[in-house]
Amino acid sequence: EPEWCLFNEENLRIITQEIWRKTLAFQLAHLNTDDDNDDVRDVKRRVVLQMRQKLFETRKTKQYIYKWLRDII
């Protein structure tokens, strides 16, 4: 049975992880259709792989996400 709880850092980690997993799956599914050269493809892959770390482990970014979520809720 679902129930309400306070939003905390663990919730943000789960949201960030799920968004990252879906973005990574999309990027990997479309990797073979890219007509870009190898360097551009490697840069795209590196950006996606580092996305979760930059979103969740950077304090300033976490604060922006918290603020954005408070504004929309």
Side-chain angles (χ1 to χ4, degrees):
E1 189 71 30
E3 62 183 61
W4 289 97
C5 65
L6 291 176
F7 189 80
N8 58 22
E9 193 166 318
E10 179 66 18
N11 300 120
L12 181 61
R13 186 192 63 76
I14 292 168
I15 291 170
T16 305
Q17 181 177 353
E18 286 302 311
I19 291 170
W20 176 77
R21 286 182 50 213
K22 290 178 182 189
T23 305
L24 182 62
F26 179 83
Q27 197 263 349
L28 290 174
H30 292 84
L31 186 64
N32 295 334
T33 60
D34 276 348
D35 292 334
D36 300 325
N37 62 27
D38 291 336
D39 293 335
V40 174
R41 203 172 321 148
D42 289 342
V43 169
K44 288 180 181 179
R45 186 179 301 154
R46 187 176 71 238
V47 167
V48 172
L49 291 174
Q50 292 176 345
M51 182 179 82
R52 183 174 61 171
Q53 178 184 11
K54 288 181 181 178
L55 286 176
F56 184 70
E57 295 178 8
T58 305
R59 184 181 186 130
K60 189 175 183 179
T61 306
K62 280 198 309 190
Q63 289 174 345
Y64 283 133
I65 293 172
Y66 276 131
K67 183 178 182 239
W68 179 77
L69 286 172
R70 275 183 284 174
D71 289 344
I72 64 169
I73 294 180

